[in-house]
């Protein structure tokens, strides 16, 4: 399977993370063969990507159905794996299967081991329970992904971990006009002056994973946090004004502003914990990646934000 032109299999190819990697690798058809995995090749997003990148192979598989996965990863040199907590089969308003996300990850990893895949890159997070010294236990999407990470790193298969910073994109979804209509409200459930690691999932992850793929020998066994730096909600609001000229204000919300208890616990965690506390030197690694990571100013520029729709 090892070749000068590796076959890279991407799970979640129509989503944010997998799509970021697909777009970057598909721009280099002489360097990579790309196989995209999706539950339905007939979906609008799959069809649009297939039309844009005709050299990408498309296969159907479901990470909840283990028997569908070995054909998807067969003969792969590299596999990128990602899971999804916020879907009905895992988590809904009235029910959470606490083991389902781990099982999704385990299904992918076990298929890779069975098929002799050369290298696995998996998207995970740190454990909220571990970061908070056992005080916060309900951030279930962190715990499931962390369990996947520990499972993978303990196996005799070459692998690396990527951990995404907080998404700038969340502010596109939540931005709203103030009641007076004279400013854009950028809200955050917590201290708007506390800094957190941020990333643009659409721009930043693909180049980082490409760097890992190109440097597999040096990357194996390592955890790579993906972030351009530490910024507060106030920093991000100020950047919006600087780039667009729109007045913007950062507004603190209570951590229970969201009805979902999992999210409430996550924002409680963020009051005191750095999600990348286990990797304090991660910004130094960024310097090795031939890419300009997304600052708040770059995010607002590339998103072409013109103001909230409401």
């Amino acid at each position: 399977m090892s070749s000068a032109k590796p076959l890279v299999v991407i799970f979640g190819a129509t989503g944010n993370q997998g799509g970021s990697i697909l777009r970057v690798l598909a721009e280099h058809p002489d360097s990579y063969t790309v196989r995209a995995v999706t539950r339905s090749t007939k979906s609008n997003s799959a069809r649009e990507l297939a039309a844009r990148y005709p050299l990408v192979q498309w296969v159907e598989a479901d990470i909840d159905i283990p028997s569908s996965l070995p054909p998807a990863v067969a003969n792969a040199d590299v596999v990128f794996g990602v899971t999804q907590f916020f879907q009905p089969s895992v988590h809904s308003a009235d029910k959470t299967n606490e083991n389902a996300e781990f099982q999704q990850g385990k299904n992918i990893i076990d298929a890779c081991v069975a098929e002799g895949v050369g290298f696995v890159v998996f998207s995970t997070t740190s454990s909220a329970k571990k970061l908070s010294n056992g005080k916060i236990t309900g951030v279930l999407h962190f715990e499931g992904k962390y369990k996947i990470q520990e499972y993978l790193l303990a196996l005799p298969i070459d692998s690396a971990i990527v951990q995404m910073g907080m998404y700038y994109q969340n502010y596109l979804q939540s931005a709203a006009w103030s009641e007076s209509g004279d400013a854009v409200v950028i809200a955050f459930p917590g201290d708007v002056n506390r800094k957190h690691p941020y990333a643009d999932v659409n721009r930043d992850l693909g180049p980082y994973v490409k760097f890992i793929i190109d440097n597999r020998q040096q990357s194996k066994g390592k955890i790579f946090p993906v972030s351009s730096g530490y910024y507060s909600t106030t920093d991000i609001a100020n950047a919006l004004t600087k780039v667009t000229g729109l007045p913007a204000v950062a507004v603190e919300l209570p951590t229970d502003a969201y009805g979902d208890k999992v999210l409430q616990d996550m924002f409680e965690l963020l009051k005191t914990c750095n999600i990348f506390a286990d990797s304090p030197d991660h910004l130094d690694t960024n310097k090795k990646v031939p890419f300009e990571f997304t600052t708040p100013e770059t995010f607002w520029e590339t998103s072409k934000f013109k103001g909230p729709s409401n």
Side-chain angles (χ1 to χ4, degrees):
M1 286 174 288
S2 179
S3 65
K5 183 178 175 181
L7 169 59
V8 181
V9 174
I10 303 171
F11 282 87
T14 62
N16 286 325
Q17 295 195 26
S20 177
I21 299 162
L22 183 150
R23 288 189 295 273
V24 168
L25 298 187
E27 294 291 345
H28 301 275
D30 293 335
S31 300
Y32 313 95
T33 298
V34 177
R35 180 186 297 161
V37 183
T38 181
R39 280 177 292 186
S40 173
T41 57
K42 298 180 177 63
S43 69
N44 289 337
S45 52
R47 286 177 171 177
E48 289 171 5
L49 286 167
R52 191 182 312 166
Y53 303 109
L55 296 181
V56 172
Q57 305 170 10
W58 286 87
V59 297
E60 291 186 350
D62 189 328
I63 59 178
D64 288 313
I65 303 175
S67 61
S68 72
L69 301 177
V73 303
N75 301 314
D77 294 287
V78 181
V79 169
F80 171 76
V82 64
T83 53
Q84 174 56 271
F85 179 81
F86 292 99
Q87 63 180 37
S89 65
V90 180
H91 175 72
S92 61
D94 58 355
K95 185 179 180 181
T96 298
N97 182 339
E98 295 186 17
N99 195 54
E101 188 173 19
F102 167 70
Q103 188 62 53
Q104 289 178 345
K106 183 176 184 296
N107 291 343
I108 295 172
I109 294 165
D110 288 350
C112 290
V113 172
E115 291 296 318
V117 170
F119 197 91
V120 176
V121 182
F122 221 103
S123 176
T124 73
T125 62
S126 296
S127 163
K129 189 184 301 184
K130 180 180 175 184
L131 290 172
S132 66
N133 294 317
K135 295 177 183 177
I136 298 177
T137 60
V139 192
L140 301 180
H141 57 307
F142 279 35
E143 302 309 326
K145 290 179 177 66
Y146 178 72
K147 192 175 178 182
I148 293 167
Q149 171 181 306
E150 296 301 284
Y151 180 72
L152 175 59
L153 294 178
L155 292 175
I157 183 172
D158 289 347
S159 62
I161 298 296
V162 289
Q163 296 182 343
M164 287 300 302
M166 295 168 61
Y167 290 9
Y168 289 116
Q169 277 78 5
N170 292 334
Y171 290 108
L172 289 177
Q173 300 169 9
S174 63
W177 289 110
S178 62
E179 289 187 10
S180 58
D182 59 358
V184 179
V185 173
I186 303 295
F188 183 80
D191 184 354
V192 295
N193 293 311
R194 182 178 175 84
K195 296 181 184 292
H196 302 283
Y198 277 90
D200 182 332
V201 62
N202 295 322
R203 290 188 75 249
D204 297 341
L205 182 59
Y208 214 128
V209 171
K210 179 180 180 296
F211 170 79
I212 293 170
I213 293 171
D214 292 345
N215 298 275
R216 298 195 286 283
Q217 187 63 29
Q218 299 91 332
S219 299
K220 63 182 181 181
K222 294 183 179 179
I223 298 172
F224 296 93
V226 182
S227 167
S228 65
Y230 287 80
Y231 306 100
S232 68
T233 304
T234 299
D235 293 332
I236 294 169
N238 290 340
L240 188 157
T241 298
K242 180 179 178 180
V243 170
T244 68
L246 295 170
V249 58
V251 173
E252 180 175 335
L253 299 176
T255 53
D256 61 358
Y258 294 93
D260 192 320
K261 184 64 166 58
V262 169
L263 293 179
Q264 291 177 17
D265 283 356
M266 181 185 74
F267 288 116
E268 282 295 326
L269 175 77
L270 295 176
K271 281 183 175 181
T272 57
C273 296
N274 170 14
I275 60 172
F276 289 166
D278 292 336
S279 306
D281 301 325
H282 74 274
L283 294 178
D284 291 335
T285 307
N286 283 9
K287 299 172 184 176
K288 301 177 183 179
V289 182
F291 177 74
E292 288 286 334
F293 289 90
T294 307
T295 64
E297 288 82 5
T298 308
F299 171 72
W300 293 117
E301 289 168 358
T302 56
S303 68
K304 296 179 170 55
F305 182 77
K306 302 298 183 183
S309 57
N310 66 328

